Amino acid sequence: MKARHLITYVILILLTASIVYPALWIVMSSLKVGNSLYSETLIPKAFTFDHYRELFTSTRYQYAQWYMNTIKVAVLSAILGTLMTLLGSYAMARFRFIGRKFGLMGMLVLNMFPSFMSLVAIYILMLQFELLNSHWALILVYSSGAFISNVFVAKGFYDTIPRSLEEAARIDGATHWKVFTTVMIPLSKPMLTYVSLVIFNGAWVDFIFARLILRTADKETLAVGLYDIVNQQTSTDFTFFAAGAVLLAVPVLILFVWLQRFLVEGLTSGASKG
Amino acid sequence: MTRHTPQATLLSVLFMGLGQWYNRQFMKGLLFASIEIAGIYWIASRLGKSVQGLFSLGDTPRGMVKVGKVYQPVDGDHSIFLMVEGLISLILVLLLVFLYCICIRDARLTALNREKGIKPHSFRVTLSNMANRNFPYLILAIPVTAALLLTVMPIIFSVLVAFTDFAAPNLPPAKLVHWVGFDVFKNLVNLGSWSKTLVGVATWTVVWAVAATLTTYLLGTIVAVLIQQKGIRLKAFWRTMLVIPFAVPNLVSLLVFRNLLNEEFGPINQYLELLGLSGLPWLNDPTWARITVIFVNLWLGFPLIMILVSGILTTIPKDLYEAAEVDGAPRFYTFRVITLPLVLYSTAPILIMQFAGNFNNFNVIFLLTNGNPVVPEYVYAGGTDLLVTWLYKLTLTNNQYNFASVLSILVFIFIASVSILNYRRTRSFKEEDLIQ
């Protein structure tokens, strides 16, 4: 009995250590004096916040600019994407019209296409039309993609809201638009929060498409910028990178803590329902 | 009763709007008629040219042309512009045909109503009907247009590129692109270097996807079961700690690992050397790099499985275990006969999804190793490159667009078959009762 528990505890402690170590290491590195990857001890002998200050003052990298770009892209994508998901999935869930079945099937198939397939094509098109290096390209692609990838989640949500609610309002003479804006949108708040945060998070950390589209340092987002710092093969800017990485992760961590309940519920209900 | 249907229908077939006119819906008729006029104008002036452009992809390359006695530079045709224009034209033609059908249907229905003695609606009533009966179309318009332009059109374009010779050094606007049929597919199989790369990369992709899925699944399940055991303290604490990799953005974790495992300066090798061992080429030797990416992926991926399995474990009825305990069944036997089958049963769809996800796991490979270390006999690919990272490189750095398109078609076929299998399986799961 006790021996078995002991083994369990040993395994759990080892796993936790291996999980915590990289996180601890990067935080410690961001507080370390100097700029090299090499460090004699895990916990530095002297702490400094210089690297964080440097992020926003350095002229070598435009970290502050990247941060602003990322906020702009993520916020606008979340707003536009949520709006499209809301409109589209409401129509798909609540109305029976010609083309509905076909549309749902179509979106199911589109979800199977690896997303980079259209991304690569969009890149080629934009390259040919010389429209690269624009944030709007990112925002439009993220938000229109969000509709296709979230429509089934959102539709599932609307399917659980009883129809009698709208019917009552319709009998009282409300138009579809009125029912939509005054009855359905307030009810959709949990779903809208979830979808917008998922889109925000996706845009915040997306690397694949941002790297295809963004060409100059002043337009880059955090993901692309940080990758470039690491990819330069020199380890002289390591602590700078560490501070930058910590600041990139913080908003996502906050979102995660906030979202955790939704996320775990969504995942587990998905798993047991199949 | 006067017959109206044949006249109204026929008139609309002849020219959009005439049927509506016949039904005394003048505004509506005018609208439809102007659509047809605009359509005819467009067909006459542009359609021929753009369809021809789609077929020929241009016939004058950019260059110097002799005009009179002097050579002058001419812009020439841009094959890709022609292709896109042709595609958009085809979509417009479909739209026009759709409107044409709607117009005929509308004229017919209104005429039928007239025969029954219902007066045709005035234009104002028609408009308000639009806002009501056609409400779903109204609110779908924006999202669907965006999806068509930014997702569907690019995918069609990408499929088309697979049948052209659009690859460096044959790039517009300096050169023309041509249709080459299935040549690119054939080349990928027949050209020694390409087929060698394809086989190598595809094999590694499958090995990787299987290994990555199984390792995360096993570790996640084991940890969930360990924490769930009766008598383990601090359950919430362990779960919170172990979920950290799931909460940190992949991008950050992967770039951190890239530094941790740095062969010269990374702390891991530093520790190994302190222990008197020599450092390992974690990311610089093809075999080691493959093992490393699987381990790093395990670190990233097991928390998700752990969360899922923990959720399932709580749904298993307690009385099953109590009955087993009463019967004196050993702990491991209980696990094997009750826990494992139930967990496997409800996570099977997730397992397939994970497999498909890992097959296209761009981030782990690209951010950790960049697909490197380089394998000399491969074309533009490295030892850890998956099909997706290979086609990304082919597009972004090597401009081999047609090969990249062929690869993405192959990946799509594979993923789509896996997903359809999964879809059918989950459907059948829903119809069965998990616990009788």
Side-chain angles (χ1 to χ4, degrees):
Chain A
M1 187 72 186
K2 283 293 164 215
R4 213 191 55 217
H5 280 183
L6 195 67
I7 296 171
T8 303
Y9 282 126
V10 170
I11 295 174
L12 288 179
I13 288 168
L14 284 179
L15 265 178
T16 308
S18 74
I19 294 275
V20 171
Y21 172 70
L24 194 65
W25 179 67
I26 200 71
V27 174
M28 287 305 157
S29 299
S30 73
L31 298 172
K32 185 176 73 180
V33 180
N35 56 14
S36 76
L37 174 54
Y38 183 84
S39 158
E40 279 168 15
T41 51
L42 174 60
I43 294 169
K45 292 185 186 100
F47 288 93
T48 169
F49 279 100
D50 279 355
H51 306 304
Y52 289 95
R53 203 169 307 128
E54 204 187 331
L55 283 177
F56 293 94
T57 53
S58 159
T59 47
R60 264 177 316 140
Y61 298 106
Q62 300 170 302
Y63 191 86
Q65 182 69 44
W66 296 341
Y67 223 90
M68 292 313 292
N69 292 343
T70 314
I71 290 177
K72 173 182 159 196
V73 169
V75 168
L76 287 177
S77 308
I79 293 173
L80 267 180
T82 313
L83 195 70
M84 289 203 216
T85 314
L86 171 75
L87 291 174
S89 49
Y90 177 65
M92 283 295 182
R94 276 312 213 233
F95 295 92
R96 300 292 172 266
F97 51 91
I98 307 169
R100 174 176 177 271
K101 275 258 161 68
F102 176 77
L104 282 174
M105 275 308 291
M107 281 190 279
L108 205 66
V109 173
L110 283 179
N111 271 327
M112 287 174 199
F113 272 93
S115 58
F116 57 81
M117 195 161 163
S118 52
L119 297 188
V120 164
I122 290 174
Y123 163 72
I124 298 176
L125 292 176
M126 295 206 156
L127 178 71
Q128 302 298 331
F129 286 92
E130 287 170 11
L131 292 173
L132 286 179
N133 210 15
S134 115
H135 289 149
W136 278 103
L138 293 185
I139 295 168
L140 286 177
V141 168
Y142 293 150
S143 46
S144 71
F147 165 54
I148 293 180
S149 54
N150 287 314
V151 65
F152 289 100
V153 176
K155 184 181 159 299
F157 174 83
Y158 283 124
D159 287 343
T160 62
I161 297 180
R163 270 167 184 283
S164 48
L165 277 173
E166 293 144 270
E167 275 156 18
R170 290 284 292 156
I171 288 167
D172 291 346
T175 59
H176 278 304
W177 183 249
K178 190 121 205 249
V179 173
F180 179 56
T181 48
T182 57
V183 181
M184 294 313 278
I185 293 185
L187 281 174
S188 318
K189 257 188 208 144
M191 190 271 291
L192 293 182
T193 323
Y194 173 78
V195 168
S196 57
L197 291 179
V198 167
I199 302 172
F200 180 89
N201 184 32
W204 187 265
V205 296
D206 176 68
F207 171 78
I208 307 178
F209 190 55
R211 179 158 161 88
L212 279 175
I213 293 295
L214 303 174
R215 299 277 120 162
T216 53
D218 63 315
K219 291 280 187 175
E220 279 177 2
T221 55
L222 283 174
V224 182
L226 275 184
Y227 178 81
D228 284 346
I229 298 182
V230 174
N231 204 30
Q232 277 168 351
Q233 305 292 344
T234 53
S235 50
T236 50
D237 285 321
F238 177 69
T239 44
F240 186 85
F241 158 78
V246 171
L247 281 195
L248 170 83
V250 166
V252 178
L253 275 172
I254 294 171
L255 275 188
F256 181 82
V257 173
W258 186 16
L259 260 187
Q260 200 178 17
R261 196 168 47 87
F262 292 112
L263 253 171
V264 172
E265 265 170 26
L267 287 171
T268 45
S269 72
S272 51
K273 273 189 232 143
Chain B
M1 184 182 77
T2 8
R3 300 265 297 149
H4 289 298
T5 331
Q7 293 94 315
T9 316
L10 199 69
L11 279 169
S12 264
V13 172
L14 276 179
F15 201 94
M16 280 166 73
L18 278 186
Q20 277 73 16
W21 199 278
Y22 174 83
N23 286 335
R24 315 238 160 83
Q25 295 181 301
F26 299 111
M27 271 309 281
K28 213 196 229 172
L30 208 62
L31 268 177
F32 273 120
S34 47
I35 290 176
E36 172 139 5
I37 290 167
I40 289 178
Y41 176 74
W42 172 71
I43 289 174
S45 58
R46 301 270 338 147
L47 183 67
K49 236 165 113 192
S50 48
V51 168
Q52 197 222 337
L54 182 60
F55 279 104
S56 68
L57 295 182
D59 33 41
T60 38
R62 184 157 80 180
M64 307 299 267
V65 167
K66 197 174 177 185
V67 182
K69 283 180 185 164
V70 282
Y71 281 94
Q72 278 185 341
V74 281
D75 258 350
D77 293 330
H78 193 300
S79 303
I80 300 306
F81 290 179
L82 288 175
M83 196 195 267
V84 172
E85 199 191 322
L87 260 182
I88 293 176
S89 302
L90 288 185
I91 294 174
L92 280 179
V93 168
L94 283 180
L95 186 73
L96 210 59
V97 170
F98 177 71
L99 285 174
Y100 187 54
C101 293
I102 285 202
C103 166
I104 296 172
R105 182 169 169 269
D106 173 75
R108 205 180 108 78
L109 287 181
T110 319
L112 271 174
N113 278 339
R114 280 178 73 193
E115 283 168 14
K116 285 182 206 145
I118 304 170
K119 221 170 145 280
H121 297 309
S122 70
F123 190 61
R124 189 182 309 190
V125 177
T126 311
L127 274 187
S128 84
N129 268 352
M130 279 284 280
N132 262 321
R133 203 141 30 98
N134 296 330
F135 184 72
Y137 295 114
L138 215 63
I139 57 175
L140 269 175
I142 296 173
V144 166
T145 315
L148 277 180
L149 271 180
L150 294 166
T151 312
V152 178
M153 227 260 299
I155 289 178
I156 300 175
F157 171 79
S158 172
V159 171
L160 289 183
V161 166
F163 301 95
T164 66
D165 58 358
F166 182 26
N170 189 36
L171 296 176
K175 302 267 178 61
L176 287 177
V177 170
H178 307 92
W179 294 112
V180 294
F182 282 91
D183 281 4
V184 189
F185 291 80
K186 285 182 205 147
N187 285 343
L188 198 58
V189 180
N190 294 335
L191 288 183
S193 51
W194 281 97
S195 70
K196 190 164 187 176
T197 319
L198 177 67
V199 172
V201 172
T203 317
W204 159 240
T205 307
V206 172
V207 171
W208 146 265
V210 172
T213 310
L214 284 186
T215 47
T216 47
Y217 185 76
L218 277 179
L219 185 64
T221 313
I222 292 174
V223 173
V225 171
L226 284 181
I227 296 180
Q228 193 78 14
Q229 284 179 100
K230 223 193 275 173
I232 294 292
R233 281 155 194 270
L234 303 171
K235 286 192 163 99
F237 168 77
W238 298 119
R239 281 207 194 102
T240 317
M241 292 316 274
L242 295 179
V243 110
I244 290 177
F246 188 64
V248 180
N250 268 356
L251 176 89
V252 170
S253 331
L254 287 165
L255 292 179
V256 168
F257 267 106
R258 191 171 164 146
N259 283 300
L260 264 179
L261 298 167
N262 186 305
E263 190 177 356
E264 285 170 72
F265 310 104
I268 302 283
N269 274 355
Q270 195 186 320
Y271 293 134
L272 286 179
E273 274 155 27
L274 278 183
L275 293 173
L277 302 164
S278 61
L280 286 168
W282 297 108
L283 300 169
N284 302 337
D285 169 79
T287 316
W288 272 110
R290 289 179 178 177
I291 297 172
T292 310
V293 288
I294 289 175
F295 265 96
V296 172
N297 180 69
L298 177 62
W299 189 91
L300 289 173
F302 88 88
L304 174 68
I305 305 288
M306 185 189 80
I307 299 172
L308 292 175
V309 174
S310 301
I312 293 160
L313 287 178
T314 54
T315 65
I316 300 179
K318 290 269 183 303
D319 47 351
L320 281 177
Y321 290 107
E322 281 158 15
E325 210 168 318
V326 170
D327 290 346
R331 299 289 290 217
F332 187 71
Y333 184 78
T334 331
F335 173 75
R336 198 167 60 84
V337 176
I338 301 175
T339 318
L340 202 59
L342 281 174
V343 168
L344 264 180
Y345 200 69
S346 31
T347 47
I350 303 285
L351 212 55
I352 300 173
M353 292 259 292
Q354 288 269 309
F355 177 78
N358 279 322
F359 196 86
N360 287 334
N361 204 331
F362 179 90
N363 271 355
V364 172
I365 302 295
F366 196 85
L367 296 178
L368 201 58
T369 66
N370 232 334
N372 293 332
V374 174
V375 177
E377 61 265 31
Y378 280 1
V379 189
Y380 307 125
T384 52
D385 259 324
L386 303 180
L387 288 170
V388 275
T389 54
W390 186 32
L391 82 84
Y392 189 84
K393 286 184 188 171
L394 284 178
T395 308
L396 187 64
T397 40
N398 309 108
N399 302 337
Q400 301 292 317
Y401 304 120
N402 53 358
F403 279 104
S405 291
V406 171
L407 280 181
S408 52
I409 291 176
L410 296 181
V411 171
F412 165 69
I413 292 173
F414 185 81
I415 294 298
S417 23
V418 171
S419 313
I420 288 169
L421 182 89
N422 192 28
Y423 183 66
R424 294 171 60 108
R425 278 182 64 95
T426 43
R427 283 294 294 270
S428 67
F429 273 4
K430 268 182 201 163
E431 281 145 25
E432 280 175 52
D433 284 320
L434 188 56
I435 300 158
Q436 253 98 32

